[in-house]
Each structure stands twice: as C-alpha cells, then as structure tokens.
Amino acid sequence: MTTCKPRARYAALAALAGLAACASSPQGKLRQSVYDIDSAYHVIAAPMPDVMAGRLPGVTLTAAEKTLVKSASQGVFDEIASLETSIAGGSSITATAVSALEADFASFETCWTGIKAGQQPPACAGIASTATTTTATTTTTTTAGN
C-alpha cells in the first residue's frame, strides 16, 4: 500500500478546487471562493502546531510571534467559519465580506510565511484585529434558491 506525499495531496486538493470553481450564479461563485480559501487556509495552517511546539528545525518563534500568529490565524478561521455558517444556513453572502476574507487571508499568509522565515512582514501589523473586526461586522440576508 502506498501513501500519498503531502504535496501530492495538496496538488489533488488544488485541482479539485479548480474544477469546483465553475459555479454559475453570483452566490455560487462567492460561496466557492469561501470554500477555496478554507482549503488554502488549512493547507497553510497545517504545520502551525509543529512550529508552535518548536518541532520544525530552523524555525524558532518568540512568545510575541506565537501570540500574533495564533491571533491572526484564529481571526481568519473565524471569518471563514462565519461565512460558512451563513452558507449552511441558506443565507446569501456579500461580495464585500468575501473580499475582506480574501484580503485578511492574504495578509495572514504573508505574515505566517515571513515569521516562519525569521522576519515580521508589514502584513503582520494589525492583522488579528482586522480579521476580528471583519467577522463582527459581516452581515447576511436570507434568499431562497441560492
């Protein structure tokens, strides 16, 4: 029995996400964007427990960096969860909310990548509070048939 290497699994997930991105309605496209970001978030965040525990050779984080990364990660996760809850409840989501998630995810990705490399990119400044604020102000409306 062979096991897939992590890169092969991620490539397969990316291919599936690309195929699934063919939603035809505006709501379908927004929802697919949320699902795509959710998948990408989980791929990027997967090594976090090992990094936080100091089990990744060559990567050492300070207590402040760990706090920043945990907070930023939680903020983006909360945004994703909020939008997915709206979707699961049959509510429509707004392009503004999805755009905010995309921006916060990009900042988180840049920050996390930089911190793992021993830098603290400007994207790290205020990322956690931005994601939390966006989640708190996301509104949805219920529509039938989406």
Side-chain angles (χ1 to χ4, degrees):
M1 178 174 183
T2 58
T3 48
C4 293
K5 293 185 179 184
R7 287 184 185 159
R9 284 192 303 237
Y10 300 143
L13 286 173
L16 286 174
L19 291 173
C22 298
S24 59
S25 73
Q27 271 303 297
K29 290 177 182 179
L30 290 172
R31 290 173 179 172
Q32 189 59 53
S33 292
V34 172
Y35 298 142
D36 291 345
I37 291 169
D38 181 36
S39 294
Y41 168 81
H42 282 88
V43 169
I44 289 169
M48 284 182 78
D50 288 334
V51 171
M52 296 297 176
R55 292 188 298 251
L56 192 64
V59 179
T60 304
L61 303 183
T62 66
E65 289 170 333
K66 287 179 182 180
T67 299
L68 174 66
V69 169
K70 285 178 186 177
S71 181
S73 176
Q74 188 64 52
V76 171
F77 179 83
D78 290 347
E79 274 185 275
I80 292 167
S82 175
L83 289 169
E84 287 183 339
T85 297
S86 294
I87 292 166
S91 298
S92 63
I93 57 176
T94 65
T96 303
V98 174
S99 292
L101 173 59
E102 289 169 342
D104 291 341
F105 174 74
S107 293
F108 167 68
E109 180 180 25
T110 300
C111 181
W112 177 227
T113 301
I115 285 180
K116 286 190 304 185
Q119 306 162 356
Q120 190 164 341
C124 295
I127 185 175
S129 62
T130 300
T132 302
T133 300
T134 303
T135 300
T137 60
T138 299
T139 58
T140 58
T141 56
T142 303
T143 57
N146 287 333

